[in-house]
Amino acid sequence: MNLQDLNQITTPKEWKQRALSLGDPAPARHPKAKKKLVLAFVVLLCLVLGGGTVLATEIVQHFQNPRVVKDTAALEQEIAAHTAGGYALYGSGGPNPISQDEVIHFSRTHSSSWTRDAYLDEDAIPLSSVDWISSTVDCAEGPLWERHAYNAKGHVRAEATAETPLLLLDRQTPYATWDLDWMEAHYDSVPYGNRAYTTTDQDGNFLGTFFETLYLSGEDAYVDLTYFYSIDHTEPFPAYYIEEEFDQIEEYTTSTGVACILSQSGNVINASAETAHYTFYLYAGNLTFDEAKEILEHLQLQVDTAPAFCSQE
């Protein structure tokens, strides 16, 4: 086993781009990873046999986060024993976070391009995985901006950005939510440095939802938060973290039952959680490990791990 063959997603920008690429329901939920992995191993919990659908009253999607292994020797043993095909290795990305100014600029890319056809602009929406062919701007002034996008399949994406992310909370669905009241009281949100949207099909049926927002603390600290939920059922690829490459790494479960991988390298903290339908990311610069845990608890993350539509897949 040559460790140079391991696939790595290591930088904060890649984490963010990966979240953006997941922002539109599409057959390939991990386009970046799929380009790199060969013979990717996909397990479907909702099975279709002999042309008929296997129905279940409730299919629970467990959290399927990357595994944490002690060192490279343990990683090689794990892969040899369990991985039947492709896998990914998540690195720390280094100890130095993106600067506060840079992350503010990145978070406001969508609002700075709100009145132009950003859906055809790769700079505005990197790694977009759905071919949005047109858009209309409903509002680009005041505390709440809104627009819609449309694709050839008749899907509609209703998108909003706001002076404060509290104005976007009603864009959440019962499938995935968070509570930002505590964040608003203890951190500074970036005006229009947030975005929420819901995607529906031509009949108005729910396809997916996305929410991202940025909070600042002092002159250099911040936390960037993103979640995505889709009706598309996609099992994550086998993936790993090597414990010795991080200052701290922990499999952490919030009081609301959301299982995360929480890691720190220098002044960079990452947290992620994933099921077959849900992805959550936290990226923080110049915060402490305990502060990140406090944020995770006060977000009151809620996710439906047994959606009704899963029994029909």
Side-chain angles (χ1 to χ4, degrees), residues 49-207:
L49 301 175
T53 302
V54 178
L55 298 179
T57 57
E58 183 178 85
I59 299 179
V60 177
Q61 307 303 319
H62 299 287
F63 285 92
Q64 297 175 332
N65 300 318
R67 294 174 60 88
V68 179
V69 296
K70 183 177 180 180
D71 50 28
T72 54
L75 174 65
E76 291 180 353
Q77 293 177 0
E78 179 77 19
I79 291 170
H82 300 292
T83 303
Y87 54 87
L89 175 65
Y90 286 79
S92 68
N96 300 314
I98 302 171
S99 72
Q100 193 182 83
D101 287 343
E102 287 176 309
V103 79
I104 291 172
H105 174 76
F106 192 95
S107 73
R108 299 192 64 181
T109 299
H110 55 270
S111 60
S112 65
S113 62
W114 198 258
T115 59
R116 74 173 190 261
D117 198 353
Y119 298 93
L120 306 179
D121 186 340
E122 292 183 358
D123 291 332
I125 302 184
L127 301 180
S128 181
S129 58
V130 172
D131 197 9
W132 299 99
I133 58 177
S134 65
S135 65
T136 59
V137 176
D138 304 294
C139 181
E141 59 183 10
L144 179 66
W145 301 1
E146 298 179 275
R147 64 184 179 186
H148 287 73
Y150 310 88
N151 69 9
K153 295 180 179 180
H155 297 171
V156 179
R157 191 163 98 178
E159 183 176 10
T161 186
E163 191 173 47
T164 166
L166 293 181
L167 295 175
L168 305 180
L169 291 179
D170 63 353
R171 309 297 168 119
Q172 300 183 105
T173 74
Y175 297 115
T177 65
W178 56 26
D179 187 328
L180 299 177
D181 286 341
W182 186 88
M183 292 297 300
E184 286 289 316
H186 292 81
Y187 291 82
D188 298 317
S189 61
V190 176
Y192 309 101
N194 50 66
R195 183 166 57 132
Y197 62 74
T198 298
T199 305
T200 55
D201 66 14
Q202 62 272 22
D203 298 318
N205 298 312
F206 173 81
L207 295 178

Side-chain angles (χ1 to χ4, degrees):
M1 176 69 61
N2 294 320
L3 293 180
Q4 64 186 14
D5 296 331
L6 297 177
N7 300 283
Q8 300 193 45
I9 300 176
T10 59
T11 69
K13 183 177 181 181
E14 285 179 288
W15 278 67
K16 187 68 174 181
Q17 287 181 328
R18 186 165 179 260
L20 285 171
S21 73
L22 301 184
D24 305 306
R29 187 176 174 192
H30 296 285
K32 187 172 219 181
K34 286 191 176 182
K35 290 178 182 178
K36 292 184 177 181
L37 299 180
V38 179
L39 300 176
F41 181 57
V42 179
V43 179
L44 299 179
L45 295 183
C46 300
L47 300 177
V48 178
L49 301 175
T53 302
V54 178
L55 298 179
T57 57
E58 183 178 85
I59 299 179
V60 177
Q61 307 303 319
H62 299 287
F63 285 92
Q64 297 175 332
N65 300 318
R67 294 174 60 88
V68 179
V69 296
K70 183 177 180 180
D71 50 28
T72 54
L75 174 65
E76 291 180 353
Q77 293 177 0
E78 179 77 19
I79 291 170
H82 300 292
T83 303
Y87 54 87
L89 175 65
Y90 286 79
S92 68
N96 300 314
I98 302 171
S99 72
Q100 193 182 83
D101 287 343
E102 287 176 309
V103 79
I104 291 172
H105 174 76
F106 192 95
S107 73
R108 299 192 64 181
T109 299
H110 55 270
S111 60
S112 65
S113 62
W114 198 258
T115 59
R116 74 173 190 261
D117 198 353
Y119 298 93
L120 306 179
D121 186 340
E122 292 183 358
D123 291 332
I125 302 184
L127 301 180
S128 181
S129 58
V130 172
D131 197 9
W132 299 99
I133 58 177
S134 65
S135 65
T136 59
V137 176
D138 304 294
C139 181
E141 59 183 10
L144 179 66
W145 301 1
E146 298 179 275
R147 64 184 179 186
H148 287 73
Y150 310 88
N151 69 9
K153 295 180 179 180
H155 297 171
V156 179
R157 191 163 98 178
E159 183 176 10
T161 186
E163 191 173 47
T164 166
L166 293 181
L167 295 175
L168 305 180
L169 291 179
D170 63 353
R171 309 297 168 119
Q172 300 183 105
T173 74
Y175 297 115
T177 65
W178 56 26
D179 187 328
L180 299 177
D181 286 341
W182 186 88
M183 292 297 300
E184 286 289 316
H186 292 81
Y187 291 82
D188 298 317
S189 61
V190 176
Y192 309 101
N194 50 66
R195 183 166 57 132
Y197 62 74
T198 298
T199 305
T200 55
D201 66 14
Q202 62 272 22
D203 298 318
N205 298 312
F206 173 81
L207 295 178
T209 190
F210 177 87
F211 202 149
E212 64 175 342
T213 189
L214 174 66
Y215 284 93
L216 310 179
S217 178
E219 295 183 355
D220 63 352
Y222 60 86
V223 57
D224 185 80
L225 303 167
T226 303
Y227 78 71
F228 171 73
Y229 196 99
S230 171
I231 68 166
D232 291 341
H233 179 106
T234 305
E235 298 294 331
F237 291 113
Y240 304 91
Y241 292 92
I242 298 177
E243 182 177 356
E244 65 180 10
E245 294 185 358
F246 297 85
D247 297 329
Q248 295 186 77
I249 187 166
E250 181 178 335
E251 296 178 355
Y252 180 78
T253 301
T254 70
S255 59
T256 58
V258 174
C260 301
I261 301 294
L262 178 61
S263 65
Q264 179 177 13
S265 177
N267 293 322
V268 176
I269 293 177
N270 284 299
S272 64
E274 190 165 11
T275 75
H277 295 275
Y278 173 76
T279 304
F280 165 79
Y281 290 106
L282 175 154
Y283 174 77
N286 301 310
L287 293 181
T288 68
F289 206 68
D290 287 341
E291 285 173 326
K293 284 186 177 181
E294 186 177 36
I295 289 170
L296 288 173
E297 285 302 325
H298 285 285
L299 284 174
Q300 291 293 297
L301 296 169
Q302 302 286 343
V303 55
D304 187 348
T305 56
F309 49 74
C310 183
S311 63
Q312 301 174 12
E313 295 175 11

